[in-house]
Amino acid sequence: MTDLKPIMATAKRNELLRRLVAGQCELCDGTEGLQVHHIRKLADLNKPGRRERPPWVRLMAMRKRKTLVVCETCHQDIHAGRATATTRK
């Protein structure tokens, strides 16, 4: 049987590159200063004790992704625990 891990890693990398090349923040549709927000595990999105999940958490959980292409402003908001702009679903 063939090991599929290298193929899957390449597919995930290509998918991330496609999202970066699209040139838009996945939260606010901004086009300047794009960065990638990354979490270690999808399970980290469902930590107990959190009130309402922010839009970026819901988006990552819905898409089952550990990465999110965001503008610098949204990325700073995520790390500061502030509300992020959302225009995409």
Side-chain angles (χ1 to χ4, degrees):
M1 184 169 190
T2 306
D3 184 16
L4 295 179
K5 281 190 176 187
I7 294 169
M8 290 179 66
T10 301
K12 286 181 182 180
R13 190 173 308 120
N14 287 342
E15 190 266 339
L16 176 58
L17 288 173
R18 180 190 57 75
R19 291 188 288 131
L20 278 167
V21 169
Q24 285 190 312
C25 174
E26 293 181 321
L27 292 175
C28 74
D29 288 337
T31 59
E32 299 295 319
L34 295 178
Q35 304 174 356
V36 177
H37 178 67
H38 182 269
I39 59 169
R40 290 183 184 165
K41 300 183 285 187
L42 284 172
D44 289 345
L45 297 176
N46 296 316
K47 286 185 178 178
R50 183 177 271 166
R51 289 182 254 150
E52 183 180 338
R53 297 187 316 172
W56 68 269
V57 171
R58 291 192 303 266
L59 184 61
M60 290 179 88
M62 178 183 70
R63 293 181 178 178
K64 294 184 173 93
R65 284 197 202 134
K66 296 191 319 181
T67 60
L68 194 60
V69 176
V70 292
C71 66
E72 184 176 2
T73 301
C74 286
H75 202 188
Q76 289 174 351
D77 289 345
I78 288 170
H79 284 284
R82 294 187 294 261
T84 54
T86 55
T87 57
R88 288 190 173 195
K89 299 204 187 272

